[in-house]
């Protein structure tokens, strides 16, 4: 059946657009081993071809799974036999950069790194960054409303998108490639498509807002009694004239020491051992002044914020080590038999209370469960790790989720901050989302994709 | 019929919630004389009452026109006999301000000014401003995706909204009162509601992001050869360390001299007479340093940008005079028999070309038509005035619109930047909008408001 469909699609879009069987087995499935289970990958070269493909699949009722860099963490790109994987890899051009208006016009399949490089030639930057930059595509980042460490200053992907072109389930093309910040000319459907994870339409092109490339950086790692104290440091740097805060990454003490140990880094030299650690990174115009401004700023708040110690990176190598502890978040898992990661948003003022309460609830589930976290402090996005030295026979997924998600929405937070819902968090959406919002989501899905061909089974929980 | 309906609604929500007949005639209709033509105004006190009202009207098929401060410019709040005006004035509380997370939880009927005052008590500010601040409500500003002079730095209303509560046509409440920047947990319906002008749901509460209140300001008015030169000045101040750019307002030479003359201001003392004039306003920590930084910055770019002259305001009175020329945009109209205003977005790099082309096209319609403009330069939002000394017998509205809107979308601009579509720009949406987007808008409207009771006739052009 897949082979026959592959032939038909090759007839529709040309043989170079279609891979099936062994040709699919050669491809990297990305971060979820089931991404390519459909066994059929179609790669259109133009928006018109995407439209033709979707009209065909809509007519036949064939499920279509749009894929970017396949770096998603929640199963949002998993495909099944009988479905068609729609890969945007052949639509990967940076079509134009406007250095005056500070915008880039790109095709959806361009990687973040490629856009960063193209923008840097003009002294500009998309102002959003993630560790997956080499693979993650702009289309995929739009579909999942990607965030990252710079969101507190420059917003999440939603705020970087000025214009969008997308194809709806029946092949209708929405051309809303605005290059301006202000448009109030009908429903902003592009904002509905951002974060809809390929279930409402397929992003084909976008206009991305650019910012000046940050100048030389200075980086510190400091120890603090808690998140509230760390926030006081952040607020100081956000309010100060001069160098601008570029990163404010928090790590629980247990994460920092555990990660350093797993990586063979000397934690003592970095002052590890406090209840929480904060990476503060600022950028300015001149390297020496930037570093001095960081040192002066830390000195100013040292006592009032209760800073317990720390280092300002003296060398590039030391800066890299600091970031390694934060970013190599798989290392610490080696010491555990069970290691589960969650991605929550918590109003910044409530982080200490949230962490304490979640820790208590986790312990009530199983006293051997440990809670560690890393996160983007200034926007309240925590990546929480529930870990256990020995893997238990039965993993109490639902109880752990309840411990971490219960009351979060009422407190103004979110059970998924930047990873999306995909397949893995549909149950969480059903349990911890708002019923009114869910009902409206179903109505919108039925209106825009009445046959349910777009990314079937994703985001919306089974009714 | 209206009287009988008023009685029924008084039974449903209490007599204090309902005004009809003479009690409506006492109310200020706001900026459109037809806003209260329904002759029936219902003011619920809670979200539950809004829900009950909508469920009732949905059941009966009664049109509901949501109203905030009635300051809209495109007829978006016009009502007809037989409809119900839903006023949010009784839901006007600033429920909470979180100075750590920098958020405000407000009811929809609160005015911008009231929120500004409440935030200022914590040294914070909603970072959006408009001349209608005393009347315009947060709910109305969300519904129209308001913009204003600070949008280039802090975004439009869409970017200020972190959380939203809204009631759908059938009374379903969407509770999405997130207080965090990052949430990727299902379709972001709040972003769909922002800018939908009351046709998809009624905003009842919101979480608004706050920013530090700007410090002391310094203001300059300079003359330049064109928008490209003015942009060079803007880019300098956007890129500079130190004081931050708070306003970059452009005025065509004709507007500036005409407005000054109409207001009795001595334009010569302000250096008026250049092709365009730019108001540059920066804020910093210390007044004297801020002014000095503005003077230094202007000196740095004086030659390269081709600045032709100007003044840095030496007194508060001079600053007020500069802003008066810009903001009292009704004054210049006294010299004209016909004065039509339009609200377009143009990619900044294309402003000079747009203005030249639009001027040529207007002259082709009628050589006596003059083109003047004011605008928010950094985001490309121009308020364009097509004016004629003598009012013609027949006003060629359609031809003037074509002169100003033709090709704008293809160039990445928008025919409505911050005023919305309402009643007045539905034809423009039909003519100059994208057909695919319009089709999807109709599908979404039918899904969320199947009986078409919400703000009937607005935004969507007649099919």
């Amino acid at each position: 059946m897949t082979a026959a469909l592959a032939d038909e699609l090759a007839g529709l879009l040309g043989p170079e657009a279609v891979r099936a069987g062994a040709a699919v087995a050669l491809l990297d499935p990305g971060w979820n081993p089931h991404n390519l289970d459909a066994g059929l990958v179609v790669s259109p070269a133009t928006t018109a071809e995407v439209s033709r493909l979707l009209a065909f699949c809509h007519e036949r009722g064939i499920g279509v799974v749009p894929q970017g860099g396949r770096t998603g963490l929640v199963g949002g790109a998993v495909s099944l036999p009988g479905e068609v994987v729609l890969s945007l890899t052949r639509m990967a051009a940076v079509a134009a950069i406007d250095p005056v208006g500070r915008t880039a016009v790109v095709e959806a399949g361009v990687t973040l790194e490629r856009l960063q490089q193209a923008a840097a030639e003009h002294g500009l930057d998309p102002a959003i960054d993630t560790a997956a930059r080499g693979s993650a595509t702009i289309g995929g980042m739009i579909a999942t409303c990607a965030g990252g460490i710079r969101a507190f200053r420059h917003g999440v992907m939603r705020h970087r998108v000025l214009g969008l072109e997308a194809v709806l389930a029946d092949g209708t093309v929405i051309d809303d490639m605005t290059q301006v910040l202000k448009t109030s000319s009908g429903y902003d459907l592009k904002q509905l498509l951002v974060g809809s994870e390929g279930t409402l339409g397929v992003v084909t092109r976008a206009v991305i807002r650019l910012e000046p490339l940050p100048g030389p950086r200075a980086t510190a790692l400091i120890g603090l009694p808690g998140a509230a104290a760390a926030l006081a440091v952040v607020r100081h740097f956000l309010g100060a004239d001069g160098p601008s805060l570029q990163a404010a990454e928090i790590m629980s003490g247990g994460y920092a020491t555990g990660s350093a140990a797993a990586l063979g880094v000397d934690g003592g030299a970095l002052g590890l051992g406090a209840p929480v650690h904060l990476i503060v990174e600022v950028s300015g115009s001149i390297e020496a002044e930037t570093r001095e401004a960081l040192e002066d700023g830390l000195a100013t708040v040292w006592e009032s914020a209760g800073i317990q110690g720390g280092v300002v990176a003296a060398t590039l190598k030391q800066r890299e080590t600091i970031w390694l502890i934060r970013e190599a978040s798989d290392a610490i898992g080696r010491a555990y038999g069970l290691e589960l990661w969650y991605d929550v948003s918590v109003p910044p003022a409530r982080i200490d209370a949230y962490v304490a309460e979640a820790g208590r609830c986790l312990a009530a589930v199983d006293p051997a469960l440990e809670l560690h976290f890393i996160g983007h402090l200034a926007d309240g996005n925590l990546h929480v790790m529930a870990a256990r030295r020995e893997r238990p026979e039965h993993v109490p997924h639902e109880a752990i989720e309840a411990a971490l998600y219960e009351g979060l929405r009422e407190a103004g937070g979110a059970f998924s901050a930047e990873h999306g819902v995909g397949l893995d968090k549909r149950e969480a959406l059903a349990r911890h989302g708002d019923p009114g919002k869910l009902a409206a989501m179903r109505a919108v899905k039925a209106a825009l994709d009445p046959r349910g061909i777009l990314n079937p089974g994703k985001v919306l929980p089974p009714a």
Side-chain angles (χ1 to χ4, degrees), chain A residues 40-96:
Chain A
L40 178 57
V41 178
V42 180
S43 311
T46 64
T47 301
E49 289 187 5
V50 174
S51 171
R52 226 184 302 159
L53 173 65
L54 289 184
F56 174 89
C57 292
H58 180 73
E59 175 73 27
R60 305 280 190 98
I62 298 167
V64 177
V65 178
Q67 290 185 355
R70 303 188 190 113
T71 57
L73 293 166
V74 291
V78 163
S79 66
L80 295 169
E83 295 175 343
V84 172
V85 168
L86 166 45
S87 165
L88 278 301
T89 42
R90 284 176 73 210
M91 296 179 64
V94 176

Side-chain angles (χ1 to χ4, degrees), chain A residues 352-367 369 371 403-404:
Chain A
D352 284 322
Y354 171 80
V355 168
E357 176 67 13
R360 272 193 297 275
C361 292
L362 266 191
V365 173
D366 176 353
L369 281 171
L371 183 152
L404 300 181

Side-chain angles (χ1 to χ4, degrees), chain A residues 137-172:
Chain A
T137 64
I138 296 300
M141 292 176 71
I142 291 172
T144 55
C145 194
I149 67 170
R150 300 180 68 192
F152 72 93
R153 179 172 290 279
H154 297 293
V156 297
M157 203 63 195
R158 173 176 311 291
H159 306 105
R160 311 308 309 158
V161 172
L162 291 177
L164 199 72
E165 180 190 77
V167 184
L168 300 183
D170 66 358
T172 299

Side-chain angles (χ1 to χ4, degrees), chain A residues 48 110 162 179 202 214 243 373 420 456:
Chain A
V110 73
L162 291 177
Q179 294 177 31
V202 177
F373 62 89

Side-chain angles (χ1 to χ4, degrees), chain A residues 32 72-78 144 197 416 419-425 458:
Chain A
N32 189 304
L73 293 166
V74 291
V78 163
T144 55
E197 304 184 44
S416 181
H419 294 168
V421 176
L423 271 185
D424 301 351
K425 294 192 185 164
K458 312 298 167 27

Side-chain angles (χ1 to χ4, degrees), chain A residues 98-242:
Chain A
D98 170 2
V100 176
R102 292 181 170 164
T103 55
V105 177
V106 301
E107 290 184 323
V110 73
T111 63
L112 173 59
E113 191 168 67
R114 174 75 193 92
L115 174 57
Q116 286 171 334
Q117 288 163 350
E121 287 170 26
H122 301 272
L124 297 170
D125 188 84
I128 192 163
D129 199 18
T130 132
R133 65 187 72 82
S135 312
T137 64
I138 296 300
M141 292 176 71
I142 291 172
T144 55
C145 194
I149 67 170
R150 300 180 68 192
F152 72 93
R153 179 172 290 279
H154 297 293
V156 297
M157 203 63 195
R158 173 176 311 291
H159 306 105
R160 311 308 309 158
V161 172
L162 291 177
L164 199 72
E165 180 190 77
V167 184
L168 300 183
D170 66 358
T172 299
V173 177
I174 296 188
D175 175 1
D176 197 7
M177 290 287 281
T178 321
Q179 294 177 31
V180 289
L181 181 69
K182 286 180 179 170
T183 167
S184 186
S185 43
Y187 305 160
D188 201 341
L189 297 175
K190 60 179 179 290
Q191 291 292 342
L192 175 65
L193 290 165
V194 176
S196 66
E197 304 184 44
T199 64
L200 296 179
V202 177
V203 175
T204 46
R205 292 195 304 151
V207 182
I208 305 295
R209 199 177 179 188
L210 304 174
E211 307 290 337
L213 207 56
R217 289 158 189 256
T219 309
L221 177 67
I222 56 175
L224 293 140
L231 268 171
V233 176
V234 168
R235 275 202 307 282
H236 172 76
F237 283 99
L238 280 178
D241 285 348

